[in-house]
Every structure is written in structure tokens, then in C-alpha cells.
Amino acid sequence: MKDLFSDIPSRAYQPLAARMRPSTLEEYIGQSHLVGPGKPLRRMVETGHCHSFILWGPPGVGKTTFAQLLSHALDAQFIEISAVMSGVKEIRAAVDQAKQLRMMNGTQTVLFVDEVHRFNKSQQDAFLPFIEDGTFLFIGATTENPAFELNSALLSRARVYRLKTPTAEDVQSVLEKALKDHEKGIASYAFEISEYFLSVLAHAADGDIRRGLNFLEILSDLVEPKTEVSQEQLEDVLGGSVRRFDRKGDVFYDQISAFHKSVRGSSPDGALYWMARMLDGGCDPLYIVRRLLAIASEDIGNADPRALQVGLNAWDIFERVGPGEGNRAIAQAAVYMASAPKSNAVYQAFNQVMSDVASQPSYDVPNHLRNAPTSLAKNMGHGEDYRYAHNEEHAYAAGERYMPEELAEMRYYQPTDRGLEKKIQDKLSWLAELDEVSSLKRY
């Protein structure tokens, strides 16, 4: 009897995403702002003049791939550890290996730490002396904002490069390459897929190249050689209706825009309709909640601060009970926010102050507002003449200044007369009157 597996190559299985990993910078897809001609990471590869750095970006954008490409270009030893599965023991082992390689034959080591934000402070600190003395070139990868998740000591020794989410066109180009590649791809499967269905897969990957290749590999297991992919097979892979996606994604994003504008425009019916369209189209419900939280801050603000909590509660309910009841909680939040009073006063004030801080000098903190933890600081006048508000009438130090002297009269926040913000406006107007009375008493 013929061996059923006699024609199958005897090689260890590797996922398609791993096989299609770029081996040269020319094969690297996306991130042209970092790896394009003359850009910082390309120059690093081409010149070999390297520094430790952090790659910040969502899953599947090529953080590990770039670290491997750089290691190969430097002819360096590549060591990878994951903060999810590693601890101080693994860090020490990596340090020892890097030291031995440098001592024995001068080999440089690239230490790649995936999910570096999951290491605690002491674990992150363990890398510092070896980054400084050049034991290894440190490359950290994180999906979280390094400013919040990484120690300042580590950030001061490693530059941060932000990787952007690949476009659907980027993902589709990788899928097309995998379909044509006989050695690493799935060209040998020889099934047919229309350009539209390939576009569907690319959009479904949502900017994650690895996810797109996984979709394609699953599809290759379902489709018989020399046959064409059917809509039913595509829906089996994606777990839902193919009509959710359009050629360029424009209709989908138009629906998101319509949803946001319906809530901003105080139309509960419009909010519900476009939310239903998005859910029917396969949108992640948590994406809708994230958009609602943005709306609560941008379009409702202090007119109804409860909107933020309503959005967070909907998110929590969805994660606790699942989509059945969770989607209704999200719908409730959407209706609440559509019906809430609206104000973008905080949004405008924050944008204005951020713009001013970026464009103006770094004004000094007034002496009376400075911290005075030591006798030296007190002798320098720090904290002098500061008025403790709780000891003042109405718990308000009328006439006290809290802005730099150069901006003493600047007013960023201009509350509206809608919802709770009307009460805030009245309160701030009353406090301004107390300031005025205080200034008259002074003169």
C-alpha cells in the first residue's frame, strides 16, 4: 500500500507568517517613515552605527522582524527573550551569553526583549549597566505607550521609534507575495482567489500582517487545489459575513463617521442605526466603546461628566458578560451620550494649551508655587507667600495666581451654558468676582 505521506516534504512545520518573514530590508513592508531611504532605522542598518532603542507599535507590524534584520546586517548574535515568559534568571543568562561572545571572539549581541513593558521596574533596571557598557545592543518591543509603561532610566538610554499600523494595501501586497512564492509561500497549493476576496482578507487583518497571513493559511487548508475560493469558505475563515468589508474600507469608515456625528448631533436614532450597521458589518464592539469614550471627552465634556463613566461601564459589562448583553450596554451608552448636553470646551482648551506649550518658552514656575522640601529650597524663596486655600474664606485664595507670570491673564477653559457646565461657568464667574474684589482691596 502506498504511503499517504510519501510526497510530503519532510521538514518541520512553520506557520506561513513565520516563513514569509522578510530576510532583507527591501522585503520589509511599511514603516517607510523609519526604514525608507535616509530614514533613521535604514541608516542604522546601512552604516552599522547603532544605539539601543524601543520599537513601539501594535501587534503584527514588524517589530521582531526589524530586530532580526538589524542583527543579520550587523552579523551579530540575536538573543530573544519575552517578558511574558521570562524573569531575572533569563536576563542573567542572556547577559552571560553576550559577555562570553564578546570575550571569546568580539561578537556583538543584539538582545531583543518582546513585551518589555511587562517587566517590572527592578527587571527593567537590570538591563541598564549592560546597555551602558555595550555588552549588548538592546532592542525592546512594546504595544503600550513607553512614556507610561517603561522606566525613565531605561527611556533615557534607548530611543523610541513608533511603528505605524500597516495599511490594508500593505497587508494585501504581502498576501499576494505569499500566493506567488513557491518556496516560502503557498503557491504550490495553486488555488484561485479573486482580487476582491483578497482585499476582504487584507481589510479583515486590521493592520496586522501576521493575522492576514494566518487567514490565508487557514483558507489554503479549506480550498481544494485548482479551485476558486467561494464566499462560504471565506466566511468560514473570517467567522461572519463578507459584506462587512468594502474594496477600500471607505464605506466602513464612513459608517464610523456617521455614528460619531449622530451622537455629537444628539440623534439617538442615528447613533443606534449606525452602531447596528457596524456590528452587522463585523466591527469589534469594543472599537465602538472606544469611540464613545472619545466622544464623551471631546463632544460632551463637563456638560455631563457622567458620560465617561457610562462608557467605561459599558466596556466593563461587555468584557464580563459577552456580546449578547454587552452590545445592549454599549447601545445604552450610545443613546445616553446622544441625549446628553454637549460641550467641546475642554477639548478646545486642551488643544490650545498643548499648542501654546509647544510653541512658547518654558516659563518658570512662580516661586510661591514651587516645592520646598529642603531648607535650601526655603532659603531660595520656594513656597514663600503661598496661600493654603483650605484656610481661606470659601476655601478659595482670592487673587492668588497659578499661571506663569507671562500668562497671568490667559484663560483657556471657557465653559458653555449647557448641562452641568452651566454650573461650572457660574462657579468660575463667582470666583473671578472674588479675585476682582481682592485686587481692589490691594490697591
Side-chain angles (χ1 to χ4, degrees):
M1 181 178 178
K2 182 180 178 182
D3 183 356
L4 294 176
F5 301 98
S6 59
D7 295 329
I8 298 178
S10 57
R11 62 179 182 181
Y13 167 73
Q14 262 195 317
L16 177 62
R19 300 199 306 271
M20 292 302 298
R21 194 183 294 277
S23 56
T24 66
L25 201 58
E26 284 65 34
E27 297 176 357
Y28 193 75
I29 299 295
Q31 315 308 331
S32 58
H33 65 297
L34 295 176
V35 301
K39 299 302 180 179
L41 294 185
R42 175 177 282 271
R43 290 181 62 190
M44 191 185 301
V45 171
E46 293 174 343
T47 64
H49 296 152
C50 301
H51 53 260
S52 293
F53 56 92
I54 306 293
L55 295 174
W56 170 29
V61 298
K63 298 185 288 293
T64 304
T65 297
F66 181 80
Q68 291 177 339
L69 288 176
L70 178 61
S71 177
H72 179 72
L74 297 175
D75 196 23
Q77 177 69 37
F78 183 79
I79 300 176
E80 179 179 359
I81 62 176
S82 170
V84 177
M85 305 178 65
S86 304
V88 174
K89 178 182 176 182
E90 287 74 18
I91 295 174
R92 287 174 178 164
V95 169
D96 290 342
Q97 185 178 350
K99 285 182 174 179
Q100 286 181 345
L101 287 167
R102 187 167 66 166
M103 191 185 311
M104 292 172 60
N105 52 22
T107 299
Q108 186 176 5
T109 297
V110 169
L111 177 61
F112 177 72
V113 183
D114 198 16
E115 302 289 339
V116 64
H117 62 276
R118 294 183 181 271
F119 275 141
N120 60 36
K121 183 180 186 302
S122 62
Q123 290 170 322
Q124 291 182 30
D125 286 346
F127 296 112
L128 302 181
F130 308 107
I131 294 174
E132 289 183 342
D133 69 11
T135 298
F136 47 67
L137 176 69
F138 177 87
I139 303 177
T142 178
T143 56
E144 304 297 326
N145 188 332
F148 300 131
E149 301 295 337
L150 299 184
N151 295 348
S152 57
L154 182 57
L155 288 176
S156 71
R157 293 163 174 81
R159 299 181 196 176
V160 175
Y161 295 108
R162 185 164 189 179
L163 278 67
K164 298 177 181 178
T165 300
T167 65
E169 288 73 20
D170 289 335
V171 177
Q172 186 166 340
S173 69
V174 176
L175 301 185
E176 290 171 347
K177 184 177 179 181
L179 285 167
K180 297 174 183 176
D181 193 318
H182 286 270
E183 182 181 352
K184 298 186 296 183
I186 55 174
S188 56
Y189 288 79
F191 65 85
E192 298 292 330
I193 181 170
S194 69
E195 185 178 357
Y196 173 71
F197 281 177
L198 198 62
S199 171
V200 168
L201 283 180
H203 282 87
D206 196 24
D208 188 329
I209 292 175
R210 181 169 51 238
R211 181 189 297 170
L213 288 168
N214 289 342
F215 282 151
L216 191 62
E217 186 170 26
I218 295 170
L219 193 61
S220 70
D221 292 334
L222 297 177
V223 183
E224 292 292 329
K226 298 182 180 179
T227 63
E228 187 168 353
V229 174
S230 68
Q231 180 165 321
E232 290 72 25
Q233 289 168 327
L234 195 61
E235 289 178 348
D236 284 343
V237 171
L238 300 181
S241 171
V242 170
R243 69 191 175 101
R244 66 185 66 186
F245 303 104
D246 67 292
R247 179 71 180 94
K248 294 292 184 182
D250 293 338
V251 171
F252 183 66
Y253 288 104
D254 282 348
Q255 291 172 1
I256 293 168
S257 175
F259 172 75
H260 190 143
K261 289 170 182 173
S262 296
V263 178
R264 177 188 291 151
S266 300
S267 171
D269 295 323
L272 284 173
Y273 175 78
W274 294 114
M275 175 180 167
R277 282 285 300 275
M278 287 190 289
L279 291 176
D280 180 65
C283 179
D284 179 0
L286 291 182
Y287 178 89
I288 298 175
V289 179
R290 288 193 291 271
R291 180 55 67 101
L292 282 172
L293 289 172
I295 292 170
S297 177
E298 176 183 342
D299 296 299
I300 298 173
N302 283 338
D304 188 350
R306 293 169 297 184
L308 278 171
Q309 191 58 55
V310 169
L312 288 172
N313 288 344
W315 190 327
D316 189 43
I317 290 168
F318 182 90
E319 291 195 325
R320 288 174 181 270
V321 303
E325 292 79 5
N327 284 346
R328 287 199 295 273
I330 297 172
Q332 181 179 340
V335 169
Y336 181 92
M337 292 190 197
S339 306
K342 305 298 189 296
S343 169
N344 67 349
V346 172
Y347 175 75
Q348 288 185 323
F350 182 70
N351 286 346
Q352 182 61 53
V353 76
M354 288 297 292
S355 174
D356 285 356
V357 166
S359 61
Q360 295 174 354
S362 298
Y363 297 123
D364 291 336
V365 176
N367 257 6
H368 69 286
L369 297 181
R370 293 189 182 190
N371 190 29
T374 65
S375 57
L376 176 62
K378 291 177 182 176
N379 291 336
M380 294 174 65
H382 293 189
E384 188 176 351
D385 297 328
Y386 169 67
R387 296 163 61 195
Y388 187 58
H390 292 287
N391 292 338
E392 304 277 340
E393 187 178 7
H394 308 300
Y396 180 67
E400 185 74 301
R401 297 294 183 93
Y402 297 95
M403 294 281 280
E405 289 300 321
E406 297 83 352
L407 300 173
E409 303 303 322
M410 189 67 187
R411 297 293 178 268
Y412 287 107
Y413 180 44
Q414 304 289 341
T416 68
D417 59 358
R418 295 184 290 277
L420 179 64
E421 207 162 44
K422 176 65 168 67
K423 294 185 177 181
I424 296 174
Q425 182 190 65
D426 293 342
K427 170 75 178 290
L428 293 180
S429 297
W430 176 63
L431 296 179
E433 290 175 6
L434 294 181
D435 288 337
E436 182 68 22
V437 171
S438 174
S439 65
L440 290 175
K441 285 182 179 177
R442 245 182 281 165
Y443 299 103

